[in-house]
Amino acid sequence: MATGRTLPHVIVFANEKGGTGKSTTAVHVAIALQARGSRVAAFDLDHRQRTMTRYFENRVATEKRSGRDLPTPRFAAHDGESLPRFSEALEQLSRDMDFLVIDTPGRDDRFGRMAATRADTLVTPMNDSFVDFDLIGQVDPDTYKVTRPSFYAELIWDARKAKAKSDGVAMDWVVLRNRLQHIEARNMRRVSEALGQLAKRVGFRIIPGLGERVIYRELFPKGLTMIDSRDFGDMGLAHVAARQELREMMAALALPEPALPLFA
């Protein structure tokens, strides 16, 4: 019997290499969606680092200390072991939500793979280096031309096929280029060209992400994001630039919500 229940749009942040700004980006996306009026839940699958969970816990603590109302998603963390707990958490977090944001570990992980098969939007953050590019594809060392997709790209390809088979919905795979401004120009161009070649072969979109800015690390202890400008006093140029990066990234993700202002 049909219940008429609408499932949330699932956004999975996945990269088997650490240090790409994956958790920071996932937190900013979740809070940006919450701030614009969407109902958002977040699920942290990295039971070792728990960066997303700690970020939200810091945010809740700041809210209690300051008495301010900070838009915060419903959130939970997985233990990394229990399949029943994984399934139960997914069910509870999906209930009455518009979006479910899932942060996966920066390594090969059973539950991360399972989450990928449920993604409507799968986001793979990467820095502009061939060390990070190697996760999704291999290049000729002399010409820098793409020679073949990587094992990880093949995993995502299989996840997309499984998603399409299970519910008839196509997965949008997005490669998010973080920290662009600190990369040497020639290397950036070569990585960009290789990404373009591989995108045509395996079908992902490429969008700009968040820069390498001290402000993102400074906001973590209070659980604040670039949306919470009223809570960190005077804004410098770095704050303004970071807020613009976030706006552009959210627009490029093209998530299925009305184009409402993210923040004042």
Side-chain angles (χ1 to χ4, degrees):
M1 179 177 177
T3 63
R5 176 182 169 195
T6 301
L7 295 175
H9 185 94
V10 179
I11 309 168
V12 176
F13 284 80
N15 187 322
E16 292 184 2
K17 291 187 177 181
T20 61
K22 176 175 57 61
S23 297
T24 298
T25 309
V27 166
H28 273 73
V29 168
I31 293 175
L33 291 170
Q34 185 82 22
R36 75 179 188 183
S38 297
R39 299 166 299 176
V40 184
F43 193 17
D44 188 351
L45 297 186
D46 192 347
H47 68 286
R48 296 179 188 172
Q49 299 293 331
R50 297 179 76 251
T51 302
M52 172 186 269
T53 301
R54 290 290 300 126
Y55 211 122
F56 288 136
E57 288 174 344
N58 292 344
R59 188 172 180 84
V60 170
T62 294
E63 187 175 31
K64 291 179 179 178
R65 285 196 309 271
S66 66
R68 294 181 181 270
D69 184 19
L70 299 175
T72 305
R74 179 194 304 172
F75 64 95
H78 188 236
D79 61 5
E81 298 179 1
S82 170
L83 179 57
R85 180 170 176 175
F86 174 81
S87 301
E88 181 181 358
L90 276 180
E91 170 65 23
Q92 292 178 349
L93 290 171
S94 297
R95 195 170 298 150
D96 300 321
M97 291 291 113
D98 299 311
F99 290 95
L100 173 59
V101 178
I102 302 177
D103 188 24
T104 64
R107 59 186 180 274
D108 185 25
D109 176 80
R110 171 193 178 192
F111 295 102
R113 291 191 186 193
M114 293 171 63
T117 64
R118 291 165 166 80
D120 297 297
T121 300
L122 187 134
V123 183
T124 301
M126 63 169 285
N127 302 321
D128 262 28
S129 75
F130 281 109
V131 174
D132 278 20
F133 182 88
D134 192 65
L135 175 75
I136 57 176
Q138 299 176 10
V139 298
D140 183 279
D142 296 317
T143 66
Y144 297 99
K145 299 293 184 182
V146 174
T147 57
R148 64 182 300 275
S150 70
F151 179 68
Y152 179 78
E154 292 172 352
L155 284 178
I156 302 304
W157 179 262
D158 290 340
R160 296 173 81 181
K161 289 192 295 184
K163 171 76 173 176
K165 183 177 180 180
S166 66
D167 56 21
V169 177
M171 178 193 299
D172 183 19
W173 183 15
V174 179
V175 171
L176 187 75
R177 298 174 69 186
N178 276 340
R179 302 165 178 169
L180 295 183
Q181 70 271 32
H182 289 301
I183 303 299
E184 183 268 326
R186 183 191 300 175
N187 184 70
M188 181 187 294
R189 184 173 62 254
R190 286 172 172 169
V191 173
S192 179
E193 291 170 353
L195 278 172
Q197 294 173 37
L198 190 58
K200 294 177 181 178
R201 291 180 62 171
V202 300
F204 55 76
R205 295 193 295 120
I206 308 166
I207 69 171
L210 303 179
E212 174 60 39
R213 300 183 185 278
V214 175
I215 184 60
Y216 293 120
R217 295 189 290 273
E218 291 178 341
L219 292 175
F220 173 80
K222 293 183 178 180
L224 298 177
T225 70
M226 296 315 304
I227 295 168
D228 308 302
S229 59
R230 65 180 182 177
D231 290 281
F232 46 81
D234 295 335
M235 290 182 62
L237 292 177
H239 296 79
V240 174
R243 281 162 62 86
Q244 184 59 30
E245 286 173 354
L246 180 57
R247 286 191 181 96
E248 293 174 357
M249 181 185 72
M250 292 299 297
L253 281 172
L255 298 170
E257 280 289 294
L260 299 176
L262 287 178
F263 33 83

